[in-house]
Amino acid sequence: MRKNPIILFMLWATILSFVITGCGAGKTDAPGAAPQSVTGVAATGAPIVGVVTLQASSEPAQARTATTAVNGSFSLAVSGLNPPFILTVEWTDGTGHHKMYSFAEQPGTTNINPFSNAVFAAAAGISDQVSLAGNLDPALLRTVASRHRAAMENLRTALAPLFAQYQTTSNPVSDRFEADHTGLDALFDDVKIFVNNGMIIVRNKRTSQVIFQGPIDNIASGTFYNENIPVVAVTGPGSGQIDGAALYTNKCGSCHGALATSRKIGRTAAQIQAAISANAGGMGSLSTMDAAELQAIAAALGSTTPTSTPTSTPTQGAIDGAALYTQYCNGCHGSGKKGSSATSIQNAINSNRGGMGSLSGLTSEQIQAIATGSTVPAPTTTATPATGTIDGAALYTQYCAGCHGSLATSGHSGATASQIQTGINTISGMMPLSTLTSAQIDAIAAALVSATPTQTPTPAPTVCGSCHTIPPSSGHHSTHRSRSCATCHGTGYSATTVNAATHNNGVKNIASGSTPGWNPTTRSCSNSCHGTERW
């Protein structure tokens, strides 16, 4: 009997379709298949280049690691592992060794950033970063799993005004994210989110003012200080141009004054970059800014016409050293360098000390004039009330509010004239105020005494980690992170406590005796740990 060829063809097609379907069974990349990896970006504003570790929910614990790419991205295969997962990123930079955490309920997108780190601490009930770096056992993972979602939503709600300022609705943990200085990443560029002494604290990086503070176990009860939110640089409608004026206000104004009266008018992008590279006056914190942003700031400084100020006319042919000092030196040094010789000034420029290499265009005659006439003009007289007394409130607004907040909410309410003068004498950031007279300082102190705070509670007192990293980034602090602070600095010092009588007073206190064996003359330390090392 002859077989019908059409029937045979259909039979073979049916068999072949079953074979193809069978070969494709079990593929994880088929449309609609559940993801089999955890991917994300690790960043603090700038991308983190480090190692990400994923710990699964199993006993004994199972872990996998991956190195982040230059843009902070990472991917970890989790096939065969049980969710949820704890994620840790570790990296080392110029300020020491660091860790941050995040939590993934399932495979998919999970980012690691200061927000995820704070949420993890709140969910774990861990009061500070030092404790957070302890063992991540399965019991802790179960605790975090039961609290994480609520903690994340509570912190997002608490920081809603901040997210609105940066025009982002992204979930910092689970949404796609790029470290490109826009939106959510711009927020991380401009604010510091950290955990200390049972509190989640958010600070404006440029002014150090508290934006939010709340207990980790009751985030909703925290306080948000809307007036301390950074000014966000925006892009002009349809122009495609970066708003350099807004960037200047946000990044530079707190130190160099308003754009219209800035002491840095005319600075080029190259000069700004040189100051950042040299960390002049702490400008290293702006290292995340790209070339386009620096050029936009330079353009804003170049297009600004300084407020006209009457100046004395020097003798024909003479160089006005006092005016040169005011233009090039006063912004960082105040009157602290009065009496410096031309040689010492030239040496500082040649070695680019504190970014002074940007002054290499000055002639030897100009440098000599600065050395011989480096007297700084007295501060501009502030408007005074009709009684003729000095207006301390106006002086505070002019000279102090940039760092310490408005008079009504100042964290230094009640500071005496003596305390203010001590700060000017010993704290580098306040030394430019050395031109204030004793009468003006008295007036500021009087204003601080009479000021009535308008908010309750008042901003939190300064906590460890708000002024410097823990450990500090200077000298060899980071290489001694395994040692107790008290080993070198004496009783009363730890990662969370200080001896109030000896801290932040301009004096370097080192424990006496054979330990640690510090010799201030040779700046060397001899002990049983490493023999002799220079600081």
Side-chain angles (χ1 to χ4, degrees):
M1 179 178 176
R2 186 178 180 182
K3 295 182 180 179
N4 189 321
I6 296 177
I7 295 175
L8 286 173
F9 175 79
M10 293 179 66
L11 177 62
W12 278 108
T14 302
I15 293 171
L16 183 61
S17 69
F18 279 115
V19 171
I20 293 174
T21 301
C23 290
K27 281 187 175 290
T28 59
D29 56 356
Q36 293 299 306
S37 62
V38 172
T39 61
V41 171
T44 58
I48 294 172
V49 179
V51 176
V52 176
T53 301
L54 177 145
Q55 179 177 315
S57 298
S58 58
E59 296 186 48
Q62 290 181 281
R64 291 178 183 173
T65 62
T67 302
T68 63
V70 292
N71 64 353
S73 63
F74 61 88
S75 179
L76 288 151
V78 294
S79 178
L81 299 183
N82 295 326
F85 310 110
I86 290 177
L87 298 174
T88 308
V89 63
E90 296 188 60
W91 75 102
T92 301
D93 57 22
T95 63
H97 188 77
H98 310 280
K99 282 186 181 183
M100 283 199 313
Y101 298 85
S102 192
F103 179 80
E105 293 184 7
Q106 296 290 339
T109 299
T110 298
N111 302 307
I112 313 175
N113 49 52
F115 181 94
S116 76
N117 190 65
V119 169
F120 184 88
I126 296 175
S127 61
D128 57 61
Q129 187 67 36
V130 176
S131 299
L132 190 60
N135 294 326
L136 305 178
D137 55 33
L140 176 65
L141 194 149
R142 290 191 293 272
T143 298
V144 174
S146 66
R147 301 175 180 175
H148 185 265
R149 187 171 298 185
M152 180 168 60
E153 291 309 315
N154 285 340
L155 189 56
R156 288 185 70 191
T157 299
L159 301 184
L162 186 61
F163 281 70
Q165 177 80 337
Y166 287 83
Q167 300 179 5
T168 178
T169 58
S170 297
N171 184 316
V173 179
S174 60
D175 285 346
R176 290 182 62 86
F177 170 78
E178 291 186 19
D180 59 0
H181 308 301
T182 65
L184 186 60
D185 188 55
L187 185 153
F188 291 140
D189 282 336
D190 296 340
V191 306
K192 179 180 180 181
I193 304 173
F194 61 102
V195 179
N196 186 275
N197 198 27
M199 301 287 286
I200 293 177
I201 302 171
V202 182
R203 286 187 182 272
N204 184 322
K205 284 184 179 179
R206 296 308 303 157
T207 66
S208 293
Q209 293 172 318
V210 174
I211 299 171
F212 171 82
Q213 58 180 359
I216 62 168
D217 56 356
N218 189 5
I219 297 172
S221 69
T223 304
F224 193 96
Y225 302 97
N226 195 75
E227 68 276 13
N228 295 337
I229 294 180
V231 177
V232 178
V234 296
T235 303
S239 67
Q241 299 297 312
I242 298 173
D243 188 340
L247 268 176
Y248 176 91
T249 299
N250 187 24
K251 306 289 188 180
C252 318
S254 62
C255 289
H256 299 303
L259 182 60
T261 58
S262 175
R263 298 183 291 269
K264 301 299 178 182
I265 288 174
R267 292 296 190 272
T268 66
Q271 289 173 319
I272 299 171
Q273 182 61 68
I276 292 172
S277 300
N279 194 28
M283 286 180 66
S285 62
L286 303 181
S287 59
T288 57
M289 297 182 68
D290 59 30
E293 291 172 313
L294 296 181
Q295 187 58 53
I297 292 175
L301 287 167
S303 62
T304 300
T305 302
T307 303
S308 178
T309 302
T311 56
S312 58
T313 303
T315 304
Q316 182 65 30
I319 299 173
D320 189 343
L324 284 171
Y325 185 95
T326 300
Q327 180 178 359
Y328 292 110
C329 316
N330 187 62
C332 291
H333 299 301
S335 61
K337 295 299 180 180
K338 182 178 178 180
S340 296
S341 68
T343 300
S344 66
I345 297 171
Q346 186 63 67
N347 288 340
I349 293 173
N350 293 343
S351 62
N352 194 29
R353 186 183 308 155
M356 286 180 66
S358 62
L359 303 182
S360 57
L362 292 175
T363 66
S364 58
E365 291 81 5
Q366 289 173 312
I367 292 173
Q368 184 61 49
I370 291 173
T372 57
S374 57
T375 55
V376 183
T380 303
T381 303
T382 307
T384 57
T387 60
T389 58
I390 298 174
D391 188 344
L395 280 170
Y396 177 93
T397 299
Q398 180 178 358
Y399 293 108
C400 314
C403 291
H404 301 300
S406 65
L407 182 61
T409 60
S410 174
H412 289 277
S413 178
T416 65
S418 176
Q419 290 171 324
I420 297 171
Q421 186 63 65
T422 298
I424 292 172
N425 294 341
T426 60
I427 300 173
S428 59
M430 290 181 67
M431 287 180 181
L433 303 185
S434 59
T435 53
L436 291 173
T437 66
S438 58
Q440 289 172 314
I441 293 173
D442 288 339
I444 293 174
L448 285 167
V449 170
S450 61
T452 302
T454 57
Q455 299 207 38
T456 303
T458 55
T462 302
V463 293
C464 296
S466 60
C467 295
H468 54 71
T469 56
I470 302 177
S473 57
S474 60
H476 286 282
H477 281 102
S478 61
T479 59
H480 292 82
R481 63 181 296 112
S482 62
R483 311 297 298 174
S484 167
C485 302
T487 300
C488 293
H489 296 296
T491 304
Y493 284 91
S494 72
T496 57
T497 60
V498 297
N499 185 333
T502 60
H503 186 58
N504 196 21
N505 61 355
V507 178
K508 298 178 177 66
N509 300 107
I510 307 296
S512 60
S514 59
T515 302
W518 171 247
N519 186 327
T521 303
T522 61
R523 298 192 63 78
S524 62
C525 195
S526 302
N527 51 59
S528 59
C529 295
H530 51 58
T532 300
E533 294 287 344
R534 290 186 62 81
W535 187 264

